[in-house]
Amino acid sequence: MRPILDLAREKLKGKRVFAVLSGKGGVGKSIVAAFWAMALPKSALIDLDLFNMSTVKLFGVEKLHEVDKEGIKPFEVDGVKFFSLGGIVGDRWVVLPGANEGGVAEALLAFADLAGVENVVVDMPPGTGEVLLTLARATPFTPIVVTTPSRAAVSVVRRLMDYLQEQSIAPEVLVVNMAYLMCKGEKIRPFGWPKELEDLKSRVKRVLELPLDPSLEDYIGNLAKYRGEVFQAVKKFVEYV
């Protein structure tokens, strides 16, 4: 008997769950997850990147989650609902043994108050650790795999995609973040475009290339207000998901 896991399964039953994953940190996964949730109707973002907890920083939230008999109440910033361990422990570091890592992830999924939510976007930690195993036990999910054009990132993300395919969790979407800059109407690829990236593209149904927008940095802490070209590209793409 695993009552917390069973509760998580019941909580997520009937909802569309999108897991935003990457084999590597630093590829912009949390921003992609945030924009994905912002673009979907009746959505909530659950931050399971337990050691980094970027979501509260991105949206500029400095308070703690409220809790009632329905569970953990979401933060809501300009219509964006989200949950994070940072809303429970505050601005503190977190150290968790492996077994506890899965337990914390289960609890966030189980006790998040998802009333009225139809789409759940999960910001996952990089790699193939316990949190990924926990989510797979709790619910079927659609993998959204994020990389940059960097050869190092692509090589690590390839291993993640190998794992997902071996587990029969077919990657649906590859997001190539920071793929290009627009200059005089032309795409400039500052990080190149390694041939290995073509192999990753061949494994998924759809590919989303996102531009590099220097102004995005000005919205860290106020991300819900950003409506620039990166968000617009995600929004247009998500309309057909």
Side-chain angles (χ1 to χ4, degrees), residues 174-235:
L174 176 68
V175 178
V176 185
N177 194 26
M178 297 179 276
Y180 63 90
L181 284 165
M182 293 304 298
C183 181
K184 297 181 180 180
E186 294 186 10
K187 285 185 179 180
I188 306 298
R189 300 191 182 277
F191 303 114
W193 194 266
K195 65 180 185 298
E196 293 86 352
L197 195 47
E198 294 301 319
D199 173 61
L200 296 192
K201 288 174 61 178
S202 70
R203 301 190 189 195
V204 298
K205 293 180 179 178
R206 300 178 68 203
V207 177
L208 171 60
E209 293 183 27
L210 294 178
L212 181 62
D213 180 5
S215 74
L216 181 54
E217 187 68 18
D218 296 333
Y219 289 87
I220 302 304
N222 196 21
L223 194 66
K225 296 291 187 185
Y226 176 81
R227 290 297 183 271
E229 57 184 328
V230 181
F231 172 71
Q232 294 302 327
V234 173
K235 185 173 185 295

Side-chain angles (χ1 to χ4, degrees), residues 48-128:
L48 290 188
D49 194 351
L50 304 176
F51 302 107
N52 296 316
M53 302 175 288
S54 299
T55 303
V56 288
K57 300 299 184 185
L58 293 176
F59 287 100
V61 172
E62 297 180 352
K63 58 186 179 180
L64 300 181
H65 281 295
E66 295 180 5
V67 181
D68 64 15
K69 64 180 181 180
E70 302 299 328
I72 302 169
K73 310 303 287 186
F75 294 129
E76 189 161 351
V77 179
D78 291 334
V80 183
K81 294 181 178 180
F82 65 95
F83 303 84
S84 174
L85 183 61
I88 296 172
V89 302
D91 192 18
R92 289 179 54 82
W93 44 263
V94 172
V95 176
L96 293 169
N100 289 6
E101 188 177 343
V104 171
E106 271 185 16
L108 277 172
L109 295 170
F111 295 116
D113 182 354
L114 297 176
V117 171
E118 296 178 1
N119 296 292
V120 177
V121 180
V122 184
D123 180 12
M124 298 289 288
T128 52

